[in-house]
């Protein structure tokens, strides 16, 4: 017979232990509901809930969820005296009818934790206790071949300094199922070759585990991929790790055409192509070519357009006069080599009349501080925070409070009589509590608001060298412009759960950008001088499956304005745009609203929304038909270079070489030479045959793409 006193002592001891480590709703119960899918968007986390029961999406509002579970409808969802009878358990375990199906097994650990929590009186627990970070192990996984499995382990760090294993409570998803899939319990199954990551989320914190599956045998880091600068060291290391050989360097004609289009948005002139081909292009000759392009006026034109696309300059909310003023100001920044951090600070703190002050046009984007905050975070931080306007970001760590406190930095601005002014008052309120929120940068301490203009300290933080987003975001954008794909894709979605393909390279480029005072020309020079940039676009059998590790150059469609200017340049017949001086090129247009059916059908960005958006006008069958029969090419076949050649009574060889050099920056191959020579010789109307040749070149994939 057991001693009653001993039994009482054991019971009291157990109760005392339970009292010392009470279950917390925020850190113990809510993660179970989230893992079970109860607060997912398709269930009770929907905007209006399900079946009269609403929870915050993925548990972003623990206090409100606690009130709904324990207090709503007289607390009918829990039964402290009989925990097993609680609807909170009976519904998800499908002991009673549940439209969402079974979410929680009765024999599961999660079910037992929730049952005990209810039995203990369903306490909220410490309101200060929360998960501050999560880590995943192994974080970087190199797997030899498909079919292998990896078991992840996730550890949460709590605000009280403790840690706990939350592997079973974390949510997992793959960024590329074709390379690696993941189960609900965190077991990865490798499906294919390549590089991807697994997103991990728990209690509002996020991280990612990388999975790399080499394509084949390892390649040498030296010899096969000699570095021309630090960019190549990082790329070569990854190629070696992934078993990818690099394609050879591009030939001189390929390099020349590529670098001209990327750096100045123009084709090399036929004379420039001939001169460059006279002797082999050494590294030094290529460097001299790059340097000459960086000093040209066309560089200013192209990169002004790229900045205008980023800033949505001349889009909705601006008129022709203000668009011109804004464009001219941007052009001066590029021409005068203004550091990009200084340019951004000028934009974010601008005041005055947009019709006279270029930077003031930035605030034509919106009069709502929330909308402005979303524009600022996307443009300058490469971060999409819009989801956090209504609920915690499902793929990032931003909460509603983070969102609205960031927006508060742009609250005291108004447009009065067309002029941008700073006010003494104006707040952003938390949508739930209704209380005003002080300004606070994303992931940083609150601002010192002693300055009347809150934008000043906010702009200082945004452009600070210590900001983990600003420099990385800008160099990632430049990298994409020059190589066709960002180190992080999409380029405006930098977050821990969407890691860079080459994180060390992104950090190195950002550090170099900061060291060189945010100089746009410097970062462009660094990238285009690398062996990586100068590789051939012709893949090898062993690297043709690679679409993100830069073992060969990516073939890229020319932007609408660059394509249109290239047609005008190749044919020698310039375009004419309404209300623009004669000789104005498409890349020089101040406004994306300048009427041009050709630019619209070619797919120019209207600057109403992000130019990185996959949704755009133009393209498709309309573009194809326009290039076949429209006025972008057809009228230009009569006049220009062909008029000049026939006026000179040029022979067939001269016609062929001139047209190929102007359009493709190369001479015709022997087979092409023979075929077109025969066409020109036999044609009853030689001029029409020459027009057919030029039409064919301008409609070729080789012309319409940078390669």
């Amino acid at each position: 017979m057991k001693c009653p006193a001993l039994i009482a002592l054991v019971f009291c001891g157990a109760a005392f232990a339970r009292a010392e480590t009470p279950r917390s709703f925020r850190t113990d119960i809510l993660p179970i509901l989230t893992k079970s899918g109860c607060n997912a968007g398709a269930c009770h986390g929907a905007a209006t809930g399900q079946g009269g029961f609403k929870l915050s999406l993925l548990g972003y509002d623990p206090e409100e969820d606690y009130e709904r579970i324990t207090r709503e409808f007289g607390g009918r969802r829990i039964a402290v005296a009989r925990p097993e009878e609680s609807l909170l358990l009976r519904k998800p375990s499908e002991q009673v009818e549940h439209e969402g199906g079974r979410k929680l097994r009765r024999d599961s650990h999660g079910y037992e934790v929730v049952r005990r929590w209810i039995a203990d009186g369903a306490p909220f627990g410490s309101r200060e206790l929360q998960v501050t970070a999560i880590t995943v192990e192994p974080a970087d996984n190199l797997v030899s071949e498909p079919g292998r499995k990896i078991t992840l382990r996730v550890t949460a760090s709590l605000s009280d300094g403790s840690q706990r294993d939350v592997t079973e409570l974390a949510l997992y998803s793959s960024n590329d199922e074709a390379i690696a899939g993941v189960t609900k319990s965190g077991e990865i199954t490798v499906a294919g070759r390549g590089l991807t990551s697994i997103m991990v989320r728990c209690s509002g914190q996020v991280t990612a585990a990388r999975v790399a599956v080499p394509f084949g045998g390892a390649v040498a880091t030296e010899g096969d991929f000699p570095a021309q600068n630090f960019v190549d060291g990082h790329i070569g290391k990854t190629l070696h790790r992934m078993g990818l050989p690099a394609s050879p360097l591009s030939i001189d004609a390929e390099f020349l055409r590529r670098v001209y289009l990327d750096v100045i948005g123009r084709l090399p002139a036929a004379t420039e192509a001939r001169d460059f081909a006279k002797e082999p292009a050494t590294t030094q000759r290529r460097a001299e070519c790059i340097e000459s392009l960086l000093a040209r006026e066309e560089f200013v034109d192209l990169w002004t357009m790229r900045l205008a696309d980023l800033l949505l300059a001349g889009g909705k909310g601006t008129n022709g006069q203000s668009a011109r003023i804004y464009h001219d100001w941007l052009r001066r920044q590029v021409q005068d080599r203004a550091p990009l951090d200084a340019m951004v600070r000028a934009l974010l703190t601008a005041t005055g009349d947009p019709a006279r002050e270029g930077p003031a046009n930035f605030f034509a984007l919106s009069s709502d501080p929330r909308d402005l905050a979303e524009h600022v975070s996307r443009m300058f931080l490469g971060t999409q925070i819009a989801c956090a306007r209504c609920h915690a970001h499902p793929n990032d760590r931003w909460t509603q409070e983070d969102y609205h406190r960031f927006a508060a930095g742009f609250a005291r601005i108004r447009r009065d009589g067309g002029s941008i002014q700073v006010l003494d008052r104006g707040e952003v309120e938390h949508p739930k509590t209704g209380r005003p929120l002080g300004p606070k940068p994303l992931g940083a301490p609150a601002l010192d608001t002693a300055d009347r203009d809150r934008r000043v300290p906010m702009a200082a933080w945004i452009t600070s060298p210590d900001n983990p987003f600003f420099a990385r975001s800008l160099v990632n954008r430049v990298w994409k412009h020059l190589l066709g794909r960002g180190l992080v894709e999409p380029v405006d979605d930098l977050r821990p759960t969407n890691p860079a393909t080459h994180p060390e390279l992104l950090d190195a480029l950002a550090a170099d950008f900061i060291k060189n005072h945010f100089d746009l020309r410097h970062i462009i020079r660094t990238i285009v001088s690398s062996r990586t940039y100068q590789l051939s676009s012709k893949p090898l059998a062993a690297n043709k499956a690679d679409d993100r590790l830069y073992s060969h150059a990516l073939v890229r469609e020319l932007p609408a304005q660059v394509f249109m200017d290239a047609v005008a340049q190749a044919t020698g017949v310039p375009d004419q745009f309404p209300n623009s001086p004669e000789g104005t090129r498409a890349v020089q247009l101040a406004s994306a609203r300048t009427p041009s059916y050709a630019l619209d059908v070619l797919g120019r960005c209207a600057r109403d929304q992000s130019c990185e958006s996959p949704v755009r006008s133009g393209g498709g069958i309309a573009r194809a038909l326009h290039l076949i029969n429209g006025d972008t090419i057809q009228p230009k076949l009569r006049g220009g270079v062909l008029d000049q050649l026939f006026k000179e009574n040029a022979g067939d060889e001269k016609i062929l070489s001139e047209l190929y050099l102007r359009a493709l920056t190369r001479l015709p191959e022997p087979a092409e030479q023979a075929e077109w020579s025969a066409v020109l010789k036999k044609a009853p109307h030689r001029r029409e045959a020459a027009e057919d040749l030029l039409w064919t070149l301008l409609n070729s994939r080789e012309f319409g793409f940078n390669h």
Side-chain angles (χ1 to χ4, degrees):
M1 181 175 177
K2 295 180 180 175
C3 173
L6 180 59
I7 293 173
L9 180 62
V10 170
F11 176 81
C12 290
F16 180 73
R18 199 162 57 234
E20 281 200 321
T21 57
R23 298 285 181 183
S24 164
F25 177 75
R26 186 198 299 266
T27 59
D28 293 293
I29 306 307
L30 199 51
I32 294 172
L33 302 180
T34 302
K35 179 71 174 184
S36 300
C38 300
N39 53 22
C43 199
H44 299 291
T48 56
Q50 290 285 352
F53 181 31
K54 183 182 183 307
L55 294 171
S56 63
L57 183 65
L58 299 179
Y60 73 85
D61 193 339
E63 294 191 6
E64 182 172 301
D65 290 343
Y66 178 77
E67 289 296 315
R68 290 183 182 275
I69 289 171
T70 63
R71 302 291 187 268
E72 194 173 52
F73 300 126
R76 66 186 289 266
R77 295 188 175 103
I78 61 169
V80 175
R82 299 183 304 280
E84 296 84 357
E85 297 300 314
S86 301
L87 284 177
L88 186 65
L89 286 172
R90 299 186 72 201
K91 283 263 189 175
S93 61
E94 223 175 5
Q95 297 176 63
V96 295
E97 184 180 352
H98 183 224
E99 188 174 337
R102 186 167 63 180
K103 299 292 185 182
L104 198 62
R105 297 176 61 93
R106 294 181 66 184
D107 58 355
S108 68
H109 176 69
Y111 180 97
E112 181 60 19
V113 169
V114 175
R115 190 194 68 78
R116 289 183 180 178
W117 171 73
I118 296 172
D120 287 342
F124 186 87
S126 170
R127 296 187 181 274
E128 287 72 37
L129 185 66
Q130 59 184 309
V131 175
T132 57
I134 59 172
T135 56
V136 61
E137 296 176 336
D140 192 7
N141 301 275
L142 181 64
V143 184
S144 60
E145 59 186 17
R148 298 296 181 89
K149 295 184 182 297
I150 305 163
T151 300
L152 298 177
R153 181 174 182 270
V154 184
T155 302
S157 298
L158 279 73
S159 54
D160 63 359
S162 65
Q163 292 188 327
R164 66 175 64 168
D165 188 324
V166 292
T167 304
E168 291 299 321
L169 296 176
L171 299 175
Y172 307 91
S173 62
S174 172
N175 286 346
D176 192 337
E177 294 277 355
I179 297 174
V182 64
T183 66
K184 290 183 177 181
S185 61
E187 183 178 72
I188 299 171
T189 300
V190 177
R193 299 187 182 276
L195 178 67
T196 190
S197 56
I198 304 297
M199 184 176 76
V200 184
R201 179 183 178 89
C202 186
S203 295
Q205 301 298 319
V206 293
T207 189
R210 285 162 57 89
V211 180
V213 191
F215 287 86
V219 295
T221 56
E222 303 292 339
D224 280 6
F225 200 75
Q228 293 179 185
N229 61 24
F230 71 87
V231 169
D232 301 325
H234 291 283
I235 296 295
K237 179 181 177 182
T238 299
L239 293 180
H240 173 71
R241 186 177 192 228
M242 296 299 296
L244 280 169
S247 293
L249 277 176
S250 57
I251 63 174
D252 294 347
E254 290 173 334
F255 165 76
L256 191 68
R257 186 176 191 273
R258 182 189 304 169
V259 77
Y260 265 65
L261 288 169
D262 282 340
V263 176
I264 67 171
R266 301 211 72 184
L267 292 165
T271 53
E272 292 171 321
R274 285 192 180 94
D275 290 343
F276 199 74
K278 285 179 180 177
E279 55 184 280
T282 61
T283 301
Q284 181 60 32
R285 283 195 71 217
R286 291 191 176 194
E288 291 169 356
C289 173
I290 292 166
E291 210 59 43
S292 70
L293 295 177
L294 293 172
R296 286 175 60 159
E297 283 297 301
E298 294 99 323
F299 171 88
V300 179
D301 294 331
L302 177 67
W303 289 88
T304 299
M305 184 193 79
R306 292 201 181 281
L307 286 173
D309 281 347
L310 170 64
L311 298 170
L312 306 181
K316 61 183 178 182
T318 56
N319 55 40
Q321 169 68 9
S322 59
R324 169 55 63 186
I325 293 295
Y326 198 5
H327 183 272
D328 289 348
W329 181 83
L330 286 173
R331 196 178 193 284
R332 285 196 301 275
Q333 305 310 297
V334 180
Q335 191 167 41
D336 297 344
R337 302 181 179 229
L340 290 189
D341 62 330
M343 186 197 80
V344 171
R345 281 195 298 275
L347 289 168
L348 293 178
T349 58
T351 56
D353 184 354
R356 290 192 292 269
E357 302 292 336
N361 283 278
F362 180 79
F363 292 98
L365 291 171
S366 179
S367 58
D368 188 320
R370 298 163 188 81
D371 294 336
L372 279 172
E374 291 178 22
H375 285 303
V376 169
S377 66
R378 183 189 61 77
M379 291 174 180
F380 306 133
L381 305 178
T383 303
Q384 297 187 15
I385 63 170
C387 289
R389 190 169 189 159
C390 302
H391 51 74
H393 199 298
N395 299 326
D396 212 334
R397 65 275 202 200
W398 311 125
T399 64
Q400 271 191 299
E401 182 164 326
D402 292 329
Y403 175 98
H404 289 89
R405 294 195 69 176
F406 184 61
F410 306 97
R412 296 181 175 180
I413 311 165
R414 76 172 176 182
R415 192 165 185 166
D416 187 12
S419 182
I420 304 301
Q421 299 180 357
V422 179
L423 305 177
D424 290 326
R425 59 180 61 182
E427 306 295 339
V428 170
E429 298 175 346
H430 194 290
K432 177 190 172 186
T433 65
R435 64 183 177 87
L437 296 170
K440 180 178 178 293
L442 295 173
L447 294 176
D448 179 359
T449 55
D451 195 301
R452 173 174 176 264
D453 189 348
R454 292 176 170 184
R455 299 175 305 164
V456 172
M458 184 66 82
W461 171 80
I462 287 171
T463 59
S464 168
D466 298 327
N467 185 327
F469 308 108
F470 182 66
R472 295 171 79 245
S473 169
L474 292 180
V475 298
N476 189 51
R477 289 183 184 277
V478 174
W479 181 275
K480 178 170 184 173
H481 288 318
L482 297 172
L483 284 105
R485 189 184 193 281
L487 294 167
V488 175
E489 277 289 342
V491 292
D492 52 7
D493 196 16
L494 275 65
R495 50 184 163 84
T497 52
N498 185 34
T501 53
H502 302 72
E504 295 85 1
L505 173 57
L506 182 57
D507 290 342
L509 285 167
D512 185 59
F513 192 40
I514 293 168
K515 179 181 176 182
N516 287 277
H517 312 292
F518 299 94
D519 182 359
L520 176 62
R521 286 174 177 81
H522 172 80
I523 196 66
I524 293 171
R525 179 190 299 112
T526 298
I527 295 172
V528 300
S529 297
S530 69
R531 183 180 189 87
T532 302
Y533 174 82
Q534 297 180 22
L535 290 177
S536 171
S537 62
K538 297 180 178 65
L540 306 174
N543 71 19
K544 64 181 180 181
D546 169 34
D547 63 355
R548 65 193 66 179
L549 299 176
Y550 311 103
S551 59
H552 55 86
L554 298 178
V555 177
R556 296 163 280 138
E557 187 176 9
L558 296 182
Q561 295 94 326
V562 174
F563 179 88
M564 195 164 175
D565 286 347
V567 172
Q569 185 182 351
T571 60
V573 181
D575 291 296
Q576 182 64 47
F577 298 99
N579 304 316
S580 299
E582 187 174 345
T584 299
R585 292 180 292 115
V587 298
Q588 295 175 316
L589 295 174
S591 173
R593 297 183 180 278
T594 299
S596 172
Y597 174 76
L599 285 174
D600 290 338
V601 79
L602 290 170
R604 70 169 163 182
C605 176
R607 299 177 187 165
D608 291 335
Q609 59 181 340
S610 169
C611 293
E612 303 295 341
S613 171
V615 179
R616 68 173 191 177
S617 61
I621 190 67
R623 173 191 170 103
L625 292 174
H626 177 74
L627 295 181
I628 292 171
N629 294 309
D631 59 8
T632 292
I633 292 177
Q634 286 288 352
K636 295 184 174 67
L637 301 176
R638 293 173 292 280
V641 63
L642 286 179
D643 275 3
Q644 183 64 33
L645 287 170
F646 277 88
K647 184 178 179 180
E648 296 172 359
N649 199 25
D652 294 350
E653 185 174 347
K654 174 68 180 296
I655 291 173
L656 283 168
S657 63
E658 185 70 15
L659 296 186
Y660 266 84
L661 282 172
R662 292 176 73 98
L664 306 182
T665 319
R666 66 173 177 84
L667 294 170
E669 299 289 343
E672 295 169 327
Q673 179 85 26
E675 182 176 350
W676 280 107
S677 293
V679 170
L680 290 170
K681 185 176 182 180
K682 296 177 182 178
H685 303 287
R686 188 162 170 266
R687 170 61 188 254
E688 289 184 5
E691 291 177 4
D692 289 344
L693 166 59
L694 184 53
W695 180 94
T696 300
L697 293 176
L698 299 180
N699 273 284
S700 69
R701 179 178 173 84
E702 187 174 353
F703 178 83
F705 287 75
N706 200 355
H707 45 82

